[in-house]
Amino acid sequence: MTAKAGLVKGLRFAMGRGQPSISMASLAFGGAALVGGTAYFTYRYTKAHTAVQQEGDGPIDPGTSFRVFDQIAQKYDDAIGQEEAALWYGMMRKWLLREARGEVLEVSVGTGRNFEYYDFAASGIKSLTCTDLSQHMLLRAEDKFFDELHLGHKHPNVRINFCLADAHCLVDPNAKLPPKPEPPVEKKEPSAAAAVAPRPRPQPLPEVDPASAPWWAYWRRLPPVERPKPAEAAPSSAPSEAGQPASSTEAAVSGDAMPGLHAGGLLNFFRVLLPSSDGSKQAPAAAGEAASAEAAGGASSHEHAEASSCCSCHSHSRGYSQRCSSGQHESGAPLQKFAPRQFDTVVDTFGLCSHEDPVQALKEMARVCKPGGKILLLEHGRSHYDWLNDKLDSSATNHQRKWGCLWNRDILGLIKEAGLQVDKVTRWHFGTSYYIIARPSVR
């Protein structure tokens, strides 16, 4: 008997007397589970997308797209969770954020969908500053970081700040460049007399006055943190109250001071609900100086615009120019700005589609990034194929109304126009998803 005939005989015996590998009950159960799971996820997807429908049929002014994000902040994660899982965006975020180092700035943080992909333990991240123009998105991200993911407890040595900021004017023109690091000083061996000298006894912590100290300092029985004094304003400006922070970001507590608990969450919540009617108390020092100088007649309107914002000269018809020149959000809350070359890494994931002027936003990212630093981008835009671009163009208005995002922009063209140096770029999903590692151009 040949080997082939023996194999055929063995198969006939197994099929005739053996038990079938899959029973009818198992097959029916698997089919029911597949149909039920498909129906469940389809229901969740449809319900979430129906909840974010916007009224009307015309395009939205890109300068006010943050209002769309205010409306969908609470349902945003549920609405796009299945889409991102199907497109492997979570893996792409993880690959991208492995490049983050040092002082990190995340622009348009949204609801904080990147938080779980940062490697805070091994990547050498010293601080993470999260910005967004949508107040509700920013509050949602802060709750996720501290209360849902408990990253404040897990990584207390990483400083975290949540700032209301406009990506079109991230740089404070009045801020000084960070000082250059001093060369290391050689350590000298202590002398014999110094070695035997008694060490000074530690001084006890001063008593905390609950009426003047922040509540978190009183809770921890620690002395209140000394806040940096703002720059001296013109004589016509009213002096600020003692202990009053210049912006909402100064109320945020770093992980070193109070791991796991954050004063910024409650304080920012009340600032959103009850914005101050007196804008002069909340405006940044730069905006206050410019306003007082204008009131005193010491500067012309053109000089005031240049001193308060570097981007107002880009286009006088832009909606963001008024925010940047005043230094305030439409709600009256102050906008945070940063010193040039302050951050080692700048991150923006799926944010360029929602910026009013993405080229200006990219230029600002380059200005706050240190020379040799990295600008990490994960975006969606135009495809390799014309037929798909036609689909994106035809549905761009409807997509913008629901999500505040124009998904048919030429991402590589925007980066080229902004003057960034691209080190790596890969495109996925028929060329509509962009994974980009760039850096500021050498001047």
Side-chain angles (χ1 to χ4, degrees):
M1 181 182 296
T2 62
K4 182 178 181 180
L7 179 61
V8 172
K9 185 177 180 179
L11 290 175
R12 288 178 179 176
F13 177 80
M15 294 176 63
R17 296 188 177 184
Q19 296 295 329
S21 58
I22 302 178
S23 63
M24 292 300 296
S26 300
L27 186 62
F29 177 79
L34 179 62
V35 174
T38 304
Y40 170 73
F41 285 108
T42 303
Y43 167 76
R44 287 194 58 185
Y45 177 85
T46 305
K47 182 179 179 181
H49 278 250
T50 303
V52 298
Q53 291 283 351
Q54 304 294 329
E55 298 180 358
D57 54 358
I60 298 176
D61 181 9
T64 60
S65 61
F66 65 91
R67 298 173 184 169
V68 177
F69 292 107
D70 284 341
Q71 298 175 9
I72 66 176
Q74 296 301 323
K75 297 182 179 293
Y76 187 79
D77 288 334
D78 293 335
I80 68 171
Q82 283 78 27
E83 290 185 42
E84 291 209 354
L87 296 175
W88 290 69
Y89 277 149
M91 186 63 66
M92 297 178 70
R93 292 176 188 269
K94 186 175 183 179
W95 291 342
L96 183 72
L97 296 176
R98 287 187 302 184
E99 303 290 334
R101 297 289 188 277
E103 310 288 338
V104 181
L105 170 68
E106 182 169 346
V107 181
S108 300
V109 67
T111 60
R113 297 191 63 84
N114 286 333
F115 289 159
E116 58 183 307
Y117 303 107
Y118 280 106
D119 189 2
F120 292 107
S123 62
I125 295 178
K126 299 178 181 178
S127 70
L128 176 61
T129 303
C130 305
T131 68
D132 205 289
L133 192 58
S134 169
Q135 294 174 312
H136 293 273
M137 283 282 194
L138 200 61
L139 289 173
R140 179 71 183 91
E142 190 171 6
D143 291 339
K144 180 182 293 185
F145 187 91
F146 289 102
D147 300 333
E148 295 183 15
L149 302 179
H150 303 287
L151 295 177
H153 285 289
K154 297 176 182 178
H155 307 285
N157 295 327
V158 177
R159 302 188 307 274
I160 178 71
N161 292 288
F162 293 88
C163 309
L164 188 67
D166 192 331
H168 302 91
C169 47
L170 294 173
V171 176
D172 183 0
N174 298 323
K176 298 181 180 180
L177 293 176
K180 297 181 179 180
E182 299 180 357
V185 180
E186 297 182 0
K187 296 183 179 180
K188 298 181 179 180
E189 296 183 359
S191 60
V196 298
R199 295 182 179 180
R201 299 180 61 182
Q203 298 294 329
L205 294 176
E207 293 295 334
V208 180
D209 183 10
S212 60
W215 68 269
W216 55 267
Y218 178 67
W219 185 85
R220 285 288 303 272
R221 301 291 180 181
L222 294 177
V225 178
E226 294 184 0
R227 308 183 190 279
K229 296 182 179 179
E232 295 182 358
S236 59
S237 61
S240 60
E241 298 178 1
Q244 181 72 17
S247 67
S248 60
T249 57
E250 293 183 7
V253 184
S254 66
D256 294 337
M258 190 174 180
L261 294 177
H262 57 296
L266 290 175
L267 296 179
N268 288 333
F269 176 75
F270 286 112
R271 287 191 180 93
V272 171
L273 295 181
L274 300 173
S276 175
S277 59
D278 187 2
S280 62
K281 292 184 180 181
Q282 294 184 348
E289 291 178 2
S292 61
E294 184 181 14
S300 64
S301 59
H302 179 69
E303 293 173 350
H304 167 63
E306 289 184 351
S308 59
S309 174
C310 62
C311 62
S312 58
C313 59
H314 187 76
S315 175
H316 294 285
S317 62
R318 298 291 187 182
Y320 63 81
S321 59
Q322 183 178 0
R323 286 193 300 268
C324 294
S325 60
S326 64
Q328 288 186 345
H329 192 269
E330 277 77 353
S331 64
L335 296 176
Q336 179 70 24
K337 296 184 180 181
F338 309 96
R341 306 176 185 178
Q342 181 174 342
F343 298 96
D344 301 284
T345 308
V346 180
V347 179
D348 183 285
T349 56
F350 305 110
L352 291 181
C353 66
S354 61
H355 295 318
E356 181 182 359
D357 188 349
V359 174
Q360 175 64 24
L362 288 170
K363 290 180 178 179
E364 290 295 289
M365 295 180 201
R367 294 183 66 193
V368 298
C369 187
K370 295 179 181 179
K374 294 182 179 181
I375 301 176
L376 309 180
L377 305 173
L378 184 61
E379 311 291 345
H380 43 207
R382 300 191 71 79
S383 169
H384 294 302
Y385 306 100
D386 293 336
W387 62 269
L388 186 52
N389 289 330
D390 294 338
K391 296 290 184 181
L392 295 176
D393 294 338
S394 62
S395 59
T397 300
N398 186 38
H399 188 269
Q400 185 205 21
R401 294 199 62 82
K402 290 193 297 184
W403 304 104
C405 167
L406 290 171
W407 62 357
N408 59 342
R409 285 176 168 172
D410 182 8
I411 300 300
L412 295 181
L414 297 174
I415 292 177
K416 182 178 180 180
E417 186 177 354
L420 301 185
Q421 300 292 327
V422 178
D423 293 335
K424 181 179 180 180
V425 56
T426 58
R427 298 174 67 176
W428 302 71
H429 311 126
F430 299 98
T432 59
S433 299
Y434 296 73
Y435 173 101
I436 300 171
I437 299 177
R439 51 188 169 86
S441 58
V442 180
R443 297 180 181 179

